[in-house]
Amino acid sequence: MISQTSVQRLKEMISSSNNIVFFGGAGVLTESGIKDFRSADGIYMMDYKYPPESVLSHTFYTKHTEEFFDFYRKYLCFPDAKPNSAHYKLAELEKQGKLKAVITQNVDGLHQRAGSKCVYELHGSALRNYCVKCGKFHDFDFVYRSQGIPECECGGTVKPDVVLYEESLDSDVIEGAVNAIANADMLIVAGTSLTVYPAAGFIRYYSGNNLVLINKDSTEKDDDFGLVIHGKVGEILSKT
Ligand code: APR
């Protein structure tokens, strides 16, 4: 049961902040009907011929490219996904001039579809795909509708602009996200197990005292937060 006192406190913090930053993960997607990774019913918990988390690595991509794309199209591509109340609330707060940036670990572009303008995609985006040979851009559908290994007209493999394990994050995105967090007067962290680095480490750049966690399950970092609400982020943000 969500504590109404906590939601009221969250509402007050949001109304008195004008430089809010949101840091989110796959838990923001579950209210759009998309599985996260580490919940009991998450993608990494399922039986698969390989350990699912190992498939999303650069090594696996290079050694088992076709298998990688089969998994990627099946479990990381959501052609019918729609923004949910969390996405829309954040876009509304940005429009009101209260929220300055969304920092997401997700790769689905739903924050932008909901209207958010300043979005830092720490792990890239499935909406951007590039030929490894000639660099040509290909859209989401090109990869999603391909069979086997998606191939550019030039014969090169078309690789999603998604950060796999063993790959580095984009330095401009890192800089933007760190600056946004460092300047924020309120940081709302939601829908993330805070287990994957360097992303999870970005929280330490926040120096204010309006640090909030909204997460269905508890995390190892709960004690670092001034306010922790265990519940659904879309539902909770809709009440603020
Ligand atoms: N509201 C709030 N929290 C939720 C909701 C919801 N509606 N649904 C799920 N959660 C919580 C779960 O309790 C879980 O703690 O969201 C968290 C999601 O955690 P993960 O599945 O680990 O996702 P995330 O933290 O984004 O993973 C980080 O791991 O494999 C990599 O690249 C992948 O970006 C991903 C990264």
Side-chain angles (χ1 to χ4, degrees):
M1 185 60 193
I2 301 168
S3 137
Q4 289 318 309
T5 318
S6 301
V7 174
Q8 185 52 35
R9 197 166 147 223
L10 174 64
K11 191 170 178 169
E12 285 156 10
M13 289 164 83
I14 289 175
S15 67
S16 57
S17 301
N18 284 306
N19 192 332
I20 301 169
V21 169
F22 179 86
F23 181 97
V28 177
L29 298 172
T30 58
E31 290 163 84
S32 293
I34 296 168
K35 285 182 182 300
D36 66 14
F37 294 99
R38 296 175 182 83
S39 282
D41 63 346
I43 294 170
Y44 290 163
M45 301 305 165
M46 69 180 173
D47 277 336
Y48 194 72
K49 50 190 145 174
Y50 305 96
E53 192 161 10
S54 70
V55 177
L56 296 177
S57 69
H58 188 79
T59 302
F60 192 96
Y61 166 82
T62 44
K63 287 199 173 134
H64 310 283
T65 312
E66 186 151 359
E67 286 280 358
F68 169 87
F69 278 106
D70 290 348
F71 182 94
Y72 175 82
R73 276 186 288 259
K74 195 162 177 195
Y75 298 109
L76 256 77
C77 291
F78 318 108
D80 308 322
K82 293 194 178 27
N84 62 52
S85 47
H87 298 101
Y88 286 118
K89 178 69 181 183
L90 296 168
E92 182 195 315
L93 287 172
E94 184 186 51
K95 207 175 279 173
Q96 292 167 0
K98 293 175 72 59
L99 179 135
K100 298 299 181 228
V102 166
I103 300 164
T104 184
Q105 299 171 85
N106 304 336
V107 298
D108 47 68
L110 289 180
H111 285 292
Q112 293 92 327
R113 278 210 9 223
S116 287
K117 301 281 182 264
C118 183
V119 181
Y120 294 106
E121 297 168 312
L122 297 180
H123 294 159
S125 172
L127 307 187
R128 299 187 297 268
N129 306 273
Y130 298 98
C131 172
V132 297
K133 202 167 154 195
C134 72
K136 183 180 176 194
F137 170 87
H138 293 272
D139 66 10
F140 170 88
D141 279 348
F142 180 90
V143 172
Y144 184 67
R145 300 200 187 295
S146 65
Q147 300 293 322
I149 301 173
E151 203 174 282
C152 177
E153 296 83 355
C154 78
T157 298
V158 176
K159 185 174 184 289
D161 185 24
V162 168
V163 181
L164 304 177
Y165 285 110
E166 301 158 358
E167 293 179 346
S168 48
L169 279 63
D170 177 277
S171 52
D172 293 338
V173 172
I174 293 175
E175 190 182 346
V178 168
N179 286 337
I181 291 175
N183 294 316
D185 63 8
M186 177 177 189
L187 179 61
I188 303 173
V189 178
T192 177
S193 58
L194 290 170
T195 49
V196 173
Y197 286 79
F202 280 37
I203 315 297
R204 70 173 181 278
Y205 292 103
Y206 177 69
S207 55
N209 47 25
N210 290 316
L211 184 55
V212 179
L213 176 65
I214 305 172
N215 210 59
K216 182 166 59 76
D217 299 314
S218 56
T219 74
E220 286 163 16
K221 301 273 177 40
D222 278 24
D223 294 344
D224 298 352
F225 291 82
L227 173 62
V228 177
I229 308 177
H230 287 143
K232 292 182 173 182
V233 56
E235 219 173 87
I236 291 163
L237 287 181
S238 314
K239 294 188 169 106
T240 61

